Amino acid sequence: MAAPPTSNGSARRRRRVIVDVDVGTDDAWALLLLLKCERKYNFSVEAITCTHGNTDVHNATRNVVRILGAIGRTDVPVYRGAEEPLATPILERERHFHGVDGFGDLNFPDVVDEGLIRAEHAVNELYRRIAGDPGEISLIFVGPLTNLALCLKMYPKVSGMIKDLYIMGGNRNGVGNVTKSAEFNFWADPEAAHVVLNTVQCPITVLPWETCITQHQSLPMSWRMDVVGNTKNRAVQMLNQVETKCYSHWDKWMPCDAFLAAVFICPEIVEHSEQFHVDIELTGRLTRGQMVLDHLKKGKDTTRIVDRIDCEKFKLLMLYSADHDVEAKL
């Protein structure tokens, strides 16, 4: 199908993206949002790579296949990746907010077709696809950055071949959610975050934990369940059950990874951002995994920190991803 024309009549090139996940309910929403918005926003999800994080990589991969099967998108290739962080094993008790299996431990009766999971390792597949079309592939990473860090170490030339990189993780002001000072995705593999942020040569966009805290204030759980969740979309119906359990004591909904997906899909949704050089604390007794911003501006400002997005636009995107009739409003 030909790319749709722009307002001046010229054809716009379709953006191409690989998504790396540790599914997790908010990862599932990010995938759903991306896959539902492909045609309208002129991009294609080329592959989904999976890693450890919210659950082990085996469960994360199975959960991806569940989502794809529920929305009829088993055409998208899925690859299993890193089973553990680069250096320090993750503490099991810290990663089970979404249940041990990442989907609330609800033991869904669906049969997961593991034949849909490709045999190639995610790290090798990242290299093959990026090196095959240098400068053409965007990356969205919403879990620990282990797969990308391994790829950069195994194939160093990849660092200059990525079009751009979008990351959900880290923190702007040292506010943590798994420790006092570290956000989960970066804390789960600080060495990987350090490698990635100091190696890739492309533009980097980071949506940090503090932005999630701010944005979720406009997303009541009642709206999530009674409005977004009122749909025949099978993936959303499954997530209704998972999030009813995981968020049972929450008044607000926090789909962190979907916030980042929305920034990729619809760049004008960003209302405020700022450029910094960033790095990751690796050795601090109290601050391991914290993202540190260079406020002194001594380094090159390579990373855009997204501070605020248009929440009303985000709501419309989420409704659209759940098959509600809101396209005319987007």
Side-chain angles (χ1 to χ4, degrees), residues 186-313:
F186 283 17
W187 171 87
D189 196 343
E191 283 76 17
H194 171 78
V195 168
V196 169
L197 291 168
N198 284 280
T199 304
V200 297
Q201 300 172 36
C202 65
I204 304 170
T205 294
V206 171
L207 193 142
W209 172 241
E210 292 91 337
T211 304
C212 299
I213 295 173
T214 301
Q215 296 298 151
H216 99 298
Q217 296 300 322
S218 300
L219 300 174
M221 280 303 300
S222 57
W223 176 80
R224 154 66 185 94
M225 293 300 178
D226 300 337
V227 180
V228 180
N230 185 16
T231 176
K232 293 181 180 179
N233 182 301
R234 288 178 53 222
V236 176
Q237 290 176 349
M238 180 164 51
L239 290 171
N240 286 345
Q241 297 179 61
V242 178
E243 292 192 311
T244 294
K245 180 177 181 180
C246 294
Y247 287 98
S248 60
H249 301 298
W250 289 51
D251 295 326
K252 308 292 183 182
W253 184 38
M254 189 181 282
C256 299
D257 297 338
F259 292 143
L260 179 73
V263 169
F264 171 81
I265 291 166
C266 187
E268 62 269 25
I269 203 171
V270 177
E271 292 187 333
H272 185 271
S273 65
E274 193 171 354
Q275 296 284 140
F276 286 96
H277 180 268
V278 303
D279 206 338
I280 309 301
E281 175 58 56
L282 299 179
T283 60
R285 184 174 65 86
L286 298 176
T287 55
R288 176 170 162 80
Q290 179 179 329
M291 185 169 74
V292 180
L293 280 59
D294 178 13
H295 291 277
L296 299 178
K297 300 294 184 179
K298 292 186 176 181
K300 186 178 179 181
D301 294 340
T302 55
T303 302
R304 176 179 65 146
I305 308 296
V306 175
D307 293 317
R308 188 174 66 251
I309 65 174
D310 180 343
C311 199
E312 293 308 309
K313 180 79 168 183

Side-chain angles (χ1 to χ4, degrees), residues 66-92:
R66 280 194 174 97
I67 293 294
L68 297 182
I71 62 173
R73 288 301 309 274
T74 56
D75 58 297
V76 183
V78 180
Y79 301 90
R80 186 180 286 119
E83 297 186 15
E84 58 185 20
L86 296 182
T88 307
I90 191 171
L91 298 176
E92 288 293 323

Side-chain angles (χ1 to χ4, degrees), residues 138-158:
S138 298
L139 301 179
I140 297 176
F141 273 65
V142 293
L145 294 168
T146 314
N147 282 334
L148 184 52
L150 286 168
C151 187
L152 290 164
K153 286 299 187 182
M154 291 174 65
Y155 310 104
K157 64 182 181 180
V158 163

Side-chain angles (χ1 to χ4, degrees), residues 29-155:
W29 277 108
L31 285 178
L32 187 59
L33 186 55
L34 288 161
L35 292 167
K36 288 289 184 177
C37 288
E38 279 181 312
R39 179 171 295 185
K40 181 171 180 61
Y41 289 93
N42 197 35
F43 66 89
S44 63
V45 177
E46 306 265 305
I48 300 168
T49 54
C50 304
T51 188
H52 68 93
N54 286 319
T55 182
D56 63 42
V57 70
H58 173 71
N59 284 322
T61 310
R62 286 171 58 86
N63 291 340
V64 169
V65 173
R66 280 194 174 97
I67 293 294
L68 297 182
I71 62 173
R73 288 301 309 274
T74 56
D75 58 297
V76 183
V78 180
Y79 301 90
R80 186 180 286 119
E83 297 186 15
E84 58 185 20
L86 296 182
T88 307
I90 191 171
L91 298 176
E92 288 293 323
R93 68 176 183 274
E94 300 292 357
R95 72 176 183 183
H96 292 155
F97 174 83
H98 304 269
V100 173
D101 72 353
F103 263 16
D105 302 321
L106 295 175
N107 298 315
F108 287 108
D110 59 316
V111 177
V112 176
D113 184 1
E114 297 206 22
L116 296 173
I117 303 167
R118 305 297 177 93
E120 297 83 1
H121 194 280
V123 172
N124 293 324
E125 191 62 21
L126 280 168
Y127 168 71
R128 186 185 73 81
R129 289 177 179 268
I130 295 168
D133 287 295
E136 295 294 323
I137 306 292
S138 298
L139 301 179
I140 297 176
F141 273 65
V142 293
L145 294 168
T146 314
N147 282 334
L148 184 52
L150 286 168
C151 187
L152 290 164
K153 286 299 187 182
M154 291 174 65
Y155 310 104

